[in-house]
Amino acid sequence: MSDILFLATGLGSGLLSILIALYIYRMVMNADEGTDKMKEVSKLIEDGAHSFIRVQYRILGIFTIILAILIAIVFVDFGIPIAISYVLGSIASMIAGYIGLVVATKANRRTAAAAASGGLNPAFRVAFRAGSVMGLMIAGIALVGLTSLYWFWNVILPDSVFVVYPREAELWEIVTGFSFGASTVALFAKAGGGIFTKTADLSADLVGKVEHHIPEDDPRNPAAIADAVGDNVGDVAGTGADIYDSNVAAILAAAILGAGIDLHFSPPVSFALLPLVLAGLGTIASILGVFLVRPKEDQDPGPILNRGTYITTILFAVFSVAIVLLLGLNIVIAISAIVGLFAGVFIGFTSDVFTSDRGLGGFKPVPKMVESADKSAANLILSGYAYGLLSVLPSVIGIAIAMVVSYFIGGTLGFNEWEGGIYCVAIAAVGLLSTNGMIMSSDAYGPIVDNARGVIEQAQAPQEAIWACDKLDASGNTAKAITKGFAIGASSISVLALFAAFIEATDTLNIPGVDGLLVVNLSHPSVLAGALMGAIVPVVFSAILILGVERNSERMIEEIRRQFDEEPGILEGTTKPDYEKCIGIATSGAIRELMPGTLIAIVVTIATGAILGLEALAGYLGGAVLSGLILALLMDNAGGAWDNTKKIIESPEYTKYEVGTDDWHRVHDISVTGDMVGDPFKDTAGPSINTLLVVISLTATLFLPVIAQLHLWFIGLF
Amino acid sequence: MSDILFLATGLGSGLLSILIALYIYRMVMNADEGTDKMKEVSKLIEDGAHSFIRVQYRILGIFTIILAILIAIVFVDFGIPIAISYVLGSIASMIAGYIGLVVATKANRRTAAAAASGGLNPAFRVAFRAGSVMGLMIAGIALVGLTSLYWFWNVILPDSVFVVYPREAELWEIVTGFSFGASTVALFAKAGGGIFTKTADLSADLVGKVEHHIPEDDPRNPAAIADAVGDNVGDVAGTGADIYDSNVAAILAAAILGAGIDLHFSPPVSFALLPLVLAGLGTIASILGVFLVRPKEDQDPGPILNRGTYITTILFAVFSVAIVLLLGLNIVIAISAIVGLFAGVFIGFTSDVFTSDRGLGGFKPVPKMVESADKSAANLILSGYAYGLLSVLPSVIGIAIAMVVSYFIGGTLGFNEWEGGIYCVAIAAVGLLSTNGMIMSSDAYGPIVDNARGVIEQAQAPQEAIWACDKLDASGNTAKAITKGFAIGASSISVLALFAAFIEATDTLNIPGVDGLLVVNLSHPSVLAGALMGAIVPVVFSAILILGVERNSERMIEEIRRQFDEEPGILEGTTKPDYEKCIGIATSGAIRELMPGTLIAIVVTIATGAILGLEALAGYLGGAVLSGLILALLMDNAGGAWDNTKKIIESPEYTKYEVGTDDWHRVHDISVTGDMVGDPFKDTAGPSINTLLVVISLTATLFLPVIAQLHLWFIGLF
């Protein structure tokens, strides 16, 4: 009985979240669309985003179908249910990305119009509502997808088909297909979007600003719309997909670990379904938080936004304690969820220390980097890189402490120490991600305001409207810094939970050759070799992405030059450039650069397990987490620090040289170099690693029965 | 009986190597010192090197004494023997570094004189002989130190004192002190030398070239001598110390693992002492190789140098097969040593692909980077960084394969699979390092020629002499590329062997709480937390070194400016600048920046074990290897690639823009930025990681009994 209640809570809160998102979407659509000029500019971005989606989803569709067929074939048992779950996971992820992109591109002109007619407050309302459509949508889709799939397969599959594996374990193995679909699509959205946006950015600047001296975002530039589309593609759809897939993976990992406890200890309630309840409560807390974000007339929106996040967090903490007590469970489960929340806040805070102009006390990395920029470009690059390295320290310690603490208290649950402990680590991940609806709402708001500002400028709206957008933008940046840290923390702890889920699955799925829980003995050379292999996956993937941006921008630069050469009317402003062409190049190029890396990651994961065995595969996952975490934090934070170094030099608070003097230009040029290096760091390679780690962890877990089979066949060769 | 023979072989070949080094030293000293002007310039460098040594060794002396006292106190058993071994290890390492520095700085004017009077061939002879003094000396000192210490303690300590630990295991634990001393000194030599040389380089260029427009190496620059000293300190003494300490550590690791086999299986000959024999044979092969490097009149010295290396390698392979057959041992031991040799060659080769102007087939990273430099500084930085990341792939795969193969064949030795397998992994490390005498001889030759060229130029010697030195320099660069890869491969496999030796020591030392071999289960959160902690150690250490160079050069720049301001005669060339002062700042600053990082590394290692336990400490070592290997390869190779990108643009083969045109200057300036970023990558942070990994591995192994005690005390608190 409690099972159905749990499922209903998950499904119900997910559906509620989606319905409210749709309701808010209608409110946003009813807002004034602004002047004709605003509509014109904004429509171009909207159409561009659709072009991107069309091309990307066509390729993704083919990819998904081929992979689904392969899955249906290679799995001896349940190939078709897994393939169906995988396809549904991909589709759900695509829908989430699509909705985010649509609402963001439709909301920018409406935000612009509200800023022009009503000022700060109405503009904030439109932008934040649009952001919350994305936030509540991804939270809702995750819940609805996971619960309804589990429920469906549970109802439809008779006990008689579960011959090889225990029912409970196999059901979650099937649902893993959903998470795998979500993550592969997220990888394309995040890394593909990252290549797309930096390709457009770099190419537009190089041909437009440097070669033809036309201003940034000038509509004569064939890449201008691609550039604006890129902001939405990378920041809204990409970040949304990243958090969405971490959330799905965290819930799934907790469910797999819970299923192990259910199987071995038959607790009073289902520990596999409990994470769905917690995630559902987090979503309800997010919905309440979203409705509480209502600034009073001319109030600074920044604190309001943060207050919304704080309230959501507190509400979730209260809800989780209440439900755990209500169910008569051990309070440590709720405490673990809260530990996860704290870890997320801590990582966000320390990332902010390394990337903001404030620093912490006397430790001020970014102001130090401003001084370095005065010396030479090399000094700025070196200090940014060194501070980026240093920024890894607090986050990793935070993650390690959260993991050890939740494991330690989970060990007191009364089950097997490992299973109880590791379940609580997974619950910490679920807790950290529980408020993702609210976090994403305040994050997606940033790029919408940013785009609105561009629309206002190009539509020559009044100065006050620009001023209002600037103010909104500033508070958006703080929210963004928090989200970046949140995303890294969320994916790291989720990946650690997935790592444990993989170990648990080797047991619950009765994998041949594994007796009890897998022992991943790092002192065994095959495990160490697996760890070495795993450690280089994020390294090579980052290299491919960065080189991909460079190669892709070469193609796009050629196209922009071709348009300028063949149609002199473009530069004169009499002929419209072919925006679509540039968007097409950025999109197909992004996917072309990304596809090999993604396939390699999946194939190498399976091959490592098949050749070196499951212990080595677990070592591989561990190695990937270690190096991935370091590279992601290094690149995200160094990139953010270089970006803010440039911003400080451009701001009035930089008083060392007067704006426009030779010295100022020298320092500014150097800071631009830093920012250009940082762009693919923080917007392409760094954040994509999060999703990559989830993808390879899920590959290992999903294909576990296949890999075990392949390994037996492989060692049989000798 | 065979024990004494084994020890005598090790000791004898070590002593022989030292005697021959001294004999060659006398030959070098007998060479003509050149013109008065040459002597004057060269003496300044020599005196500068002595200043450096004085300051550094004073601080190192204090450090060593304090640490020795601490060791004597904290070890319940054998504190004093360990402390004595540690002090001797430090002193031996200091002597090795001192001799290398002395011979290098004395040889440069003699090489210059030979080039001026006799041309290519005599100059080559002097330089190579000087290099081989260093090469044979470090190989000899390692062997003499290890064998005589073991022998001494074995003779002097009665059986009755070995109460807690088995005699064989404890003796090697005491000798570990020697290796620990070697490595801590090496870390100061390598990382301190790295900070020193880049501080001097950066400061001399900035104040001299940029602010006062005086040429590079101009004697009016107060930092000119520090800069020249830096080349010797970093490239000769630093690299020598790095290879020396890897060699000592590899032999020690193999001995510890062999001691385990001796204890558990009582094989016919001592497996603990066998590595000494192999290292001894490698040293004899090196001596022969050194004597075979004799170029014919006006022959290009590059191939001669490589031929010497090849012959040494083949000789060692033959020797090791012969001795293994002679002793009636399983041939797989010799094969493992050869596998190690191959791994070293492979890593050297692939590093060369990523850093040379040739590349491999159609894959040409450096020529691609030359194109990037034409676009923007950011493009060059990004492509160098991306190729640096990519360069990690082949080396890591090479290391993983060497490890798995030698483990696999070692498993057939007939002992316990793990002990036999892992012993052969350690033998692979010994094999890789066996030819270190020859490798180091051809490496040390490079900076000597480089310095000779500077002496010739400043002494206004004939053009043909410069030409001869240039030709010698070019062949030195190839040797250097090989050595870089060799050093990374050597330290990685040595560290893997040390990791295994740590595991073995937990067993052979009968550490309380460990039953049999330690199981390092990565799926246990405390091991994973340990791995996370370990992974950040090289990250933070790199950050400290890079920031240290920047901070240290700020101090030195101030001093140079002060001298120019207070003594106008300096710039006019009438007053001699205070070279000593700059050298002092570079030295003490380097040590000041380095000391915290070193102490933190040692303390964090001990603390991780004390708090989280020995399994977590093993995880910590594993995590450190993974991230350290990636960072070291990334920084070494990216730095090398940026360096060569600049060299190509400066060379006649770069034809895109004519030298001296605006475009050429633009591209060249960008390449200089890349090189400046790469300098601390490849000369400070990257190579220091090798030594850091050895230091923390040895810390764990040496302090194992203390850490186990502390951990018992710690968990007793709860």
Side-chain angles (χ1 to χ4, degrees):
Chain A
M1 190 57 217
S2 76
D3 282 13
I4 292 182
L5 254 174
F6 279 17
L7 287 169
T9 309
L11 187 61
S13 48
L15 285 173
L16 181 68
S17 191
I18 292 176
L19 286 176
I20 289 175
L22 291 175
Y23 168 74
I24 299 177
Y25 177 71
R26 273 201 44 201
M27 290 205 316
V28 173
M29 286 307 107
N30 286 338
D32 178 33
E33 288 193 66
T35 62
D36 286 347
K37 186 77 196 157
M38 284 179 184
K39 277 188 230 170
E40 189 195 323
V41 177
S42 164
K43 279 273 185 199
L44 284 172
I45 301 174
E46 195 181 334
D47 293 347
H50 278 104
S51 296
F52 168 78
I53 286 285
R54 257 198 309 279
V55 179
Q56 201 195 27
Y57 282 13
R58 197 185 312 133
I59 299 174
L60 263 180
I62 298 170
F63 178 88
T64 303
I65 290 168
I66 293 175
L67 204 52
I69 294 172
L70 280 175
I71 289 173
I73 293 171
V74 298
F75 277 84
V76 180
D77 299 292
F78 300 99
I80 291 177
I82 293 173
I84 293 173
S85 299
Y86 162 70
V87 172
L88 290 175
S90 296
I91 292 174
S93 196
M94 288 192 222
I95 291 174
Y98 180 73
I99 290 171
L101 214 52
V102 165
V103 72
T105 51
K106 280 187 191 296
N108 55 27
R109 59 178 173 272
R110 292 175 168 85
T111 304
S117 63
L120 192 64
N121 226 308
F124 174 78
R125 252 197 309 268
V126 175
F128 178 74
R129 277 178 185 159
S132 65
V133 172
M134 176 75 174
L136 296 181
M137 204 51 123
I138 62 166
I141 291 180
L143 273 168
V144 171
L146 285 169
T147 40
S148 60
L149 255 183
Y150 174 84
W151 212 338
F152 173 78
W153 294 117
N154 194 21
V155 168
I156 217 158
L157 294 172
D159 273 340
S160 58
V161 298
F162 297 96
V163 188
V164 185
Y165 313 110
R167 180 183 184 96
E168 187 70 12
E170 183 57 42
L171 280 174
W172 286 109
E173 164 77 8
I174 295 171
V175 178
T176 302
F178 181 82
S179 187
F180 184 65
S183 293
T184 42
V185 170
L187 187 58
F188 279 98
K190 186 78 215 171
I195 296 181
F196 181 102
T197 177
K198 291 306 127 186
T199 297
D201 199 5
L202 215 78
S203 313
D205 281 3
L206 219 94
V207 188
K209 274 204 286 197
V210 180
E211 292 182 9
H212 291 279
H213 307 289
I214 57 177
E216 202 167 333
D217 297 335
D218 192 296
R220 286 172 294 172
N221 194 326
I225 300 300
D227 196 4
V229 171
D231 292 344
N232 292 292
V233 162
D235 288 346
V236 182
T239 309
D242 181 14
I243 289 181
Y244 166 74
D245 95 289
S246 293
N247 187 29
V248 172
I251 300 173
L252 178 84
I256 291 175
L257 292 163
I261 292 179
D262 291 348
L263 267 171
H264 300 145
F265 305 96
S266 309
V269 300
S270 166
F271 271 56
L273 300 180
L274 188 59
L276 291 169
V277 177
L278 289 173
L281 293 176
T283 302
I284 291 170
S286 293
I287 294 171
L288 294 173
V290 164
F291 278 101
L292 285 170
V293 175
R294 284 171 187 279
K296 295 205 188 68
E297 206 49 53
D298 280 326
Q299 207 177 356
D300 182 13
I304 312 285
L305 219 50
N306 290 343
R307 206 184 58 197
T309 308
Y310 295 143
I311 291 176
T312 306
T313 307
I314 293 167
L315 278 177
F316 171 72
V318 172
F319 287 175
S320 56
V321 169
I323 194 80
V324 164
L325 293 179
L326 198 72
L327 291 168
L329 297 171
N330 194 324
I331 190 73
V332 299
I333 294 175
I335 294 176
S336 301
I338 294 167
V339 165
L341 276 177
F342 267 104
V345 172
F346 178 74
I347 295 167
F349 171 76
T350 58
S351 297
D352 194 48
V353 168
F354 280 92
T355 54
S356 78
D357 50 354
R358 294 177 306 281
L360 181 68
F363 180 69
K364 295 180 182 303
V366 173
K368 266 276 175 198
M369 286 167 65
V370 172
E371 285 171 33
S372 295
D374 197 8
K375 289 180 202 152
S376 76
N379 282 69
L380 176 63
I381 299 297
L382 284 169
S383 53
Y385 175 79
Y387 283 121
L389 287 173
L390 216 52
S391 76
V392 176
L393 182 70
S395 295
V396 169
I397 290 180
I399 292 167
I401 291 177
M403 181 176 65
V404 170
V405 167
S406 46
Y407 181 83
F408 185 74
I409 61 175
T412 65
L413 274 175
F415 311 124
N416 163 330
E417 185 201 315
W418 189 84
E419 287 187 279
I422 217 71
Y423 181 72
C424 280
V425 174
I427 290 293
V430 173
L432 168 51
L433 278 151
S434 60
T435 57
N436 75 88
M438 178 65 209
I439 298 274
M440 194 59 219
S441 299
S442 42
D443 183 73
Y445 142 95
I448 294 171
V449 174
D450 196 26
N451 260 277
R453 194 190 180 288
V455 169
I456 288 179
E457 217 164 337
Q458 286 184 47
Q460 285 119 13
Q463 185 59 37
E464 296 86 62
I466 296 187
W467 174 83
C469 276
D470 274 345
K471 194 147 187 192
L472 291 176
D473 199 19
S475 44
N477 280 338
T478 317
K480 207 171 162 180
I482 295 175
T483 317
K484 273 252 162 91
F486 178 87
I488 295 176
S491 79
S492 328
I493 304 194
S494 302
V495 169
L496 293 173
L498 277 177
F499 175 69
F502 169 78
I503 308 284
E504 179 75 42
T506 60
D507 182 27
T508 53
L509 286 179
N510 297 325
I511 296 298
V514 183
D515 187 24
L517 287 168
L518 199 68
V519 173
V520 190
N521 192 350
L522 195 59
S523 73
H524 197 287
S526 70
V527 176
L528 209 47
L532 284 169
M533 293 300 297
I536 47 177
V537 168
V539 174
V540 173
F541 193 74
S542 305
I544 290 176
L545 292 191
I546 294 173
L547 291 173
V549 169
E550 212 180 345
R551 250 197 312 264
N552 207 21
S553 65
E554 273 171 26
R555 288 181 212 123
M556 190 147 163
I557 285 167
E558 216 167 283
E559 168 63 21
I560 304 174
R561 286 191 186 138
R562 188 194 62 77
Q563 290 198 22
F564 278 151
D565 286 351
E566 293 180 5
E567 273 293 348
I570 294 177
L571 267 177
E572 291 155 15
T574 53
T575 318
K576 257 203 181 164
D578 188 350
Y579 298 125
E580 189 98 353
K581 197 82 182 253
C582 283
I583 292 167
I585 288 175
T587 310
S588 61
I591 292 173
R592 198 195 309 174
E593 298 294 345
L594 180 59
M595 196 67 91
T598 308
L599 288 176
I600 288 170
I602 294 175
V603 169
V604 169
T605 306
I606 295 175
T608 302
I611 295 170
L612 295 171
L614 295 180
E615 291 86 353
L617 180 55
Y620 169 93
L621 296 180
V625 176
L626 289 182
S627 82
L629 196 52
I630 288 171
L631 277 181
L633 286 162
L634 160 64
M635 293 199 273
D636 276 344
N637 292 338
W642 280 317
D643 185 11
N644 278 330
T645 301
K646 191 189 77 169
K647 285 200 177 126
I648 288 185
I649 290 166
E650 285 170 350
S651 78
E653 65 180 282
Y654 184 70
T655 50
K656 185 159 182 188
Y657 303 116
E658 209 175 309
V659 178
T661 56
D662 282 354
D663 270 327
W664 184 85
H665 275 297
R666 178 180 54 78
V667 179
H668 184 251
D669 283 354
I670 286 174
S671 75
V672 169
T673 294
D675 187 40
M676 279 172 75
V677 172
D679 265 350
F681 269 44
K682 73 177 200 305
D683 292 328
T684 311
S688 302
I689 292 175
N690 297 348
T691 316
L692 174 74
L693 293 177
V694 177
V695 167
I696 62 172
S697 304
L698 284 169
T699 303
T701 310
L702 177 64
F703 290 93
L704 180 55
V706 178
I707 294 169
Q709 211 62 47
L710 284 172
H711 181 59
L712 287 179
W713 167 79
F714 182 81
I715 54 174
L717 291 180
F718 296 95
Chain B
M1 188 58 217
S2 75
D3 283 12
I4 292 183
L5 254 176
F6 279 17
L7 285 170
T9 310
L11 187 59
S13 47
L15 285 173
L16 182 68
S17 191
I18 292 175
L19 287 176
I20 290 175
L22 291 174
Y23 167 75
I24 299 176
Y25 177 72
R26 273 201 43 201
M27 292 205 315
V28 173
M29 286 306 108
N30 287 338
D32 178 33
E33 289 194 64
T35 63
D36 286 347
K37 187 75 196 158
M38 284 181 185
K39 278 188 229 166
E40 188 196 322
V41 176
S42 166
K43 278 272 187 203
L44 283 172
I45 301 174
E46 195 181 334
D47 293 346
H50 279 103
S51 296
F52 167 77
I53 286 286
R54 258 198 309 281
V55 179
Q56 201 195 27
Y57 282 13
R58 196 185 313 132
I59 299 175
L60 264 180
I62 299 169
F63 177 87
T64 303
I65 291 168
I66 293 175
L67 204 51
I69 295 171
L70 279 174
I71 288 173
I73 294 170
V74 297
F75 278 84
V76 179
D77 298 293
F78 300 100
I80 290 174
I82 292 173
I84 294 173
S85 301
Y86 162 70
V87 171
L88 290 174
S90 296
I91 292 174
S93 195
M94 287 191 223
I95 292 174
Y98 180 74
I99 291 171
L101 214 51
V102 165
V103 73
T105 52
K106 279 187 192 297
N108 55 28
R109 59 177 171 273
R110 293 175 168 86
T111 305
S117 63
L120 193 65
N121 227 307
F124 174 77
R125 253 195 312 268
V126 175
F128 179 73
R129 277 177 185 158
S132 65
V133 173
M134 177 74 174
L136 297 180
M137 204 50 124
I138 61 165
I141 291 181
L143 273 168
V144 171
L146 284 170
T147 41
S148 60
L149 255 184
Y150 174 83
W151 212 338
F152 173 78
W153 293 118
N154 195 21
V155 169
I156 217 157
L157 294 173
D159 272 340
S160 58
V161 298
F162 295 96
V163 187
V164 185
Y165 314 109
R167 180 182 185 95
E168 187 70 13
E170 183 57 41
L171 281 174
W172 287 110
E173 165 76 7
I174 294 171
V175 178
T176 304
F178 181 82
S179 186
F180 184 66
S183 293
T184 43
V185 170
L187 187 58
F188 279 98
K190 186 79 215 171
I195 296 181
F196 180 103
T197 176
K198 291 305 126 187
T199 298
D201 198 5
L202 215 79
S203 313
D205 281 4
L206 218 94
V207 189
K209 274 205 287 194
V210 180
E211 292 183 9
H212 291 280
H213 308 288
I214 57 178
E216 202 166 333
D217 297 334
D218 192 295
R220 287 172 293 173
N221 194 329
I225 301 301
D227 195 5
V229 171
D231 292 344
N232 292 293
V233 162
D235 287 347
V236 183
T239 309
D242 181 15
I243 289 181
Y244 166 74
D245 95 289
S246 293
N247 188 29
V248 172
I251 299 173
L252 178 83
I256 292 176
L257 292 164
I261 292 179
D262 291 349
L263 267 171
H264 299 146
F265 304 97
S266 310
V269 300
S270 167
F271 272 56
L273 299 180
L274 188 58
L276 291 169
V277 178
L278 290 173
L281 294 176
T283 302
I284 291 170
S286 294
I287 295 171
L288 295 172
V290 163
F291 278 102
L292 285 170
V293 175
R294 284 173 186 278
K296 298 205 186 69
E297 206 49 53
D298 279 329
Q299 208 177 356
D300 181 12
I304 312 285
L305 218 50
N306 290 342
R307 206 184 58 199
T309 307
Y310 294 143
I311 290 175
T312 307
T313 307
I314 293 166
L315 279 177
F316 171 72
V318 173
F319 287 175
S320 56
V321 170
I323 192 79
V324 164
L325 293 178
L326 198 71
L327 292 168
L329 296 173
N330 194 324
I331 190 72
V332 300
I333 294 175
I335 295 176
S336 301
I338 296 168
V339 165
L341 276 178
F342 267 104
V345 172
F346 178 74
I347 296 167
F349 171 75
T350 58
S351 297
D352 193 48
V353 168
F354 280 92
T355 55
S356 78
D357 49 354
R358 293 177 308 281
L360 181 68
F363 181 70
K364 295 180 181 304
V366 173
K368 266 276 173 194
M369 285 168 64
V370 172
E371 285 172 34
S372 295
D374 196 9
K375 288 180 203 152
S376 77
N379 282 69
L380 176 63
I381 299 297
L382 284 170
S383 54
Y385 175 80
Y387 282 121
L389 286 174
L390 216 51
S391 77
V392 175
L393 180 71
S395 296
V396 168
I397 289 180
I399 292 166
I401 291 177
M403 179 177 66
V404 170
V405 167
S406 47
Y407 181 82
F408 184 74
I409 62 176
T412 67
L413 274 176
F415 311 123
N416 163 331
E417 185 202 314
W418 189 84
E419 286 187 280
I422 216 72
Y423 180 71
C424 280
V425 174
I427 291 294
V430 173
L432 169 50
L433 278 151
S434 61
T435 58
N436 74 89
M438 179 65 209
I439 298 274
M440 193 59 220
S441 300
S442 43
D443 184 73
Y445 143 95
I448 293 171
V449 174
D450 196 27
N451 261 277
R453 195 191 181 286
V455 170
I456 289 179
E457 218 164 337
Q458 286 185 46
Q460 283 119 16
Q463 184 61 35
E464 297 86 61
I466 296 187
W467 174 81
C469 276
D470 273 345
K471 195 151 185 188
L472 292 176
D473 199 20
S475 44
N477 280 338
T478 316
K480 206 172 164 181
I482 294 174
T483 318
K484 272 253 161 91
F486 179 87
I488 295 178
S491 80
S492 327
I493 304 195
S494 303
V495 170
L496 292 174
L498 278 178
F499 175 68
F502 169 78
I503 308 284
E504 181 75 42
T506 60
D507 182 26
T508 53
L509 285 179
N510 297 326
I511 297 298
V514 182
D515 185 24
L517 288 168
L518 198 68
V519 173
V520 191
N521 192 351
L522 195 59
S523 73
H524 197 286
S526 71
V527 175
L528 208 48
L532 285 169
M533 292 301 296
I536 48 177
V537 168
V539 174
V540 172
F541 193 74
S542 304
I544 289 176
L545 293 189
I546 294 174
L547 292 173
V549 169
E550 213 182 343
R551 251 195 313 262
N552 206 21
S553 64
E554 273 170 27
R555 290 181 210 122
M556 189 146 164
I557 286 168
E558 217 167 283
E559 168 62 21
I560 305 173
R561 287 192 186 138
R562 188 196 61 79
Q563 290 198 23
F564 279 150
D565 286 352
E566 292 179 8
E567 274 293 347
I570 295 178
L571 265 177
E572 291 155 16
T574 52
T575 317
K576 256 203 184 166
D578 187 350
Y579 299 125
E580 190 100 351
K581 197 81 183 255
C582 283
I583 292 167
I585 288 176
T587 311
S588 61
I591 292 172
R592 197 194 309 174
E593 297 295 344
L594 181 60
M595 197 66 92
T598 308
L599 289 176
I600 288 171
I602 294 175
V603 170
V604 169
T605 306
I606 295 174
T608 302
I611 295 171
L612 294 171
L614 295 180
E615 291 86 354
L617 180 55
Y620 169 93
L621 296 180
V625 176
L626 290 181
S627 82
L629 196 53
I630 288 171
L631 276 181
L633 287 163
L634 160 64
M635 291 198 273
D636 276 344
N637 292 337
W642 280 316
D643 186 10
N644 278 330
T645 300
K646 191 190 76 169
K647 284 199 178 127
I648 287 184
I649 290 166
E650 285 170 350
S651 79
E653 64 180 281
Y654 184 72
T655 50
K656 184 159 182 187
Y657 302 115
E658 210 175 308
V659 178
T661 57
D662 281 354
D663 271 327
W664 185 85
H665 276 297
R666 177 178 56 78
V667 179
H668 184 251
D669 283 353
I670 286 174
S671 76
V672 169
T673 294
D675 187 39
M676 281 172 74
V677 172
D679 265 349
F681 269 44
K682 74 177 199 305
D683 293 327
T684 312
S688 302
I689 292 176
N690 297 347
T691 316
L692 173 74
L693 292 178
V694 177
V695 168
I696 62 171
S697 304
L698 284 169
T699 304
T701 310
L702 178 65
F703 289 95
L704 180 55
V706 178
I707 294 169
Q709 213 60 49
L710 283 172
H711 182 59
L712 288 177
W713 167 78
F714 182 80
I715 54 175
L717 291 180
F718 296 95

